[in-house]
Amino acid sequence: MSAPSNAPAASDLAYIRFVSVENMMKLVHSIGVETMLKDLARYIEDDFRRWEKFDKTPRVASHSTEGVIELMPTSDGEDYGFKYVNGHPKNTKEGLQTVTAFGLLARVSTGYPELLTEMTLLTALRTAATSAMVASHLAPKGSKVMAMIGNGAQSEFQATAMRALCGIDTLRLYDIDRAATDKVVRNLTGKGFELVPCATPEEAIQGAQIITTCTADKQYATILTDNMVGAGQHINAIGGDCPGKTELHKDILARSDVFVEYPPQTRIEGEIQQMPEDFPVTEMWQVITGAVPGRTNDRQITLFDGVGFAIEDFSALRYLRDKLRDHPFYQELDIIADPDDPRDLFGMLERAVPNG
C-alpha cells in the first residue's frame, strides 16, 4: 500500500522520543556507567526530598504462579510517569530475562506523552543507584567490603554503584549457582574490585560492612539467619519484591532498624511482610530530608527493605528526558493522533486515503 495522498503532516506534538535498547546502551556508554549511576542517584535523592509532592500508591500487580506483571504510576503534578515491569524467576531457566520493563513520561498539563523508553536496563541502573544512595546515608562510614548474596543480573550494577557512591572496593560473592558467580568475576575483573568467590553465604559475609541480598526465587527463603549478621552492618535487602518472597529470617528484622520506601507497598512485598502490621519502620525520605536520624551509632544494624517504588522510576525517566536534550540516542515515533482541528479526528482519518 502506498502512502496516503491527502493525510496532513503530523504535528510536532504527534511525535515522542523513543529510546530503544540499542540507544540506551549507546547513551550509557556515552555518559559512562559510573557517572550515570551517580547522576541517577542524585535525581532519585532530589525526588525523595520532595516526596510529599508525589502521588503514591502501591504498584498495581497481577500475580500468577509463574511470576508477576505490574504497573508503577506516579506524578509530581507537572509530569506523569509509569513503568510496566514483570518478575518471572522461572524465565532464567528458559533463557529469558527475569525482569523486563518499559516506561513512559507525559506532561500533566496536556496529557501528551513526551518519552517512551526501554526500562530493563534503566531499571537495573536505577535500582543500583537507589541502593547506593540509601547506603550512603545508612552504611558505616568508610565501608570497603560488600557481600553480594545472589549473583544474577543485578549484581554488577549494585557493585558498581556501591563503589561509585560509597567507596566499596572488595566484593565477596556467593550464589547457589557457581556459574553466576563466575559471570560476575568475569564481568568485573579489571574494574577496580578485589573479587572473592565464596562457597557459602557465611563465608561471603565475613568482614563485610554491607550485605546485599538479591536472589530470584519466588518463595519464602532464609538466605541470612540471625546469627550471620553482626553489630554495625548495613543490609541492602533488595530481593524481596512480591508477596510470598523473602530472604531474611524475621529475627534479623526484629533487631535491626528497618528503612523502607513506601510502607503500604513494602508491607505487602518486602521483608517486613513477615512482621506484624505495626512493626516500626522509617521512610527513607524522612532520613534524606533530615526529619529523622538514619545511622546513629557504630553498633546499629541498619536494613534497607528495598522493593522498588514508582518515584525512583519517575526520577530515572526525568533524568533520561533531560539527557536527551544533549544526546542523539533516540528515535521519534508518530504515535499520537493530533489533527489540525482537534474536533475532527474522523476527518483526519477520512483524508488519509491511500493512493491506488
Side-chain angles (χ1 to χ4, degrees), residues 298-317:
D298 292 340
R299 296 190 58 78
Q300 179 186 18
I301 299 171
T302 54
L303 193 160
F304 176 50
D305 192 359
V307 298
F309 190 61
I311 292 174
E312 297 152 17
D313 298 307
F314 180 94
S315 305
L317 289 166

Side-chain angles (χ1 to χ4, degrees), residues 11-22:
S11 73
D12 290 342
L13 291 176
Y15 289 96
I16 72 170
R17 291 179 174 181
F18 167 64
V19 181
S20 64
V21 174
E22 179 182 6

Side-chain angles (χ1 to χ4, degrees), residues 261-279:
E261 294 136 319
Y262 183 57
Q265 179 173 296
T266 311
R267 292 191 190 278
I268 296 170
E269 301 179 351
E271 295 296 328
I272 59 172
Q273 66 184 274
Q274 306 175 73
M275 309 304 282
E277 278 295 315
D278 60 354
F279 178 75

Side-chain angles (χ1 to χ4, degrees), residues 57-62 69-73 82-85 102 310:
T57 183
R59 49 188 155 209
V60 181
S62 176
I69 296 174
E70 301 169 327
L71 292 178
M72 301 174 64
F82 78 83
K83 183 175 77 175
Y84 164 98
V85 62
F102 67 87

Side-chain angles (χ1 to χ4, degrees), residues 12-19 104-105 112-117 330-336:
D12 290 342
L13 291 176
Y15 289 96
I16 72 170
R17 291 179 174 181
F18 167 64
V19 181
L104 182 142
L105 192 68
Y112 275 53
E114 291 185 299
L115 173 67
L116 176 67
T117 179
Y330 63 88
Q331 301 161 257
E332 290 192 330
L333 296 184
D334 174 17
I335 66 171
I336 302 298

Side-chain angles (χ1 to χ4, degrees), residues 113-126:
E114 291 185 299
L115 173 67
L116 176 67
T117 179
E118 83 79 37
M119 288 194 76
T120 306
L121 282 164
L122 191 56
T123 294
L125 290 159
R126 77 86 166 133

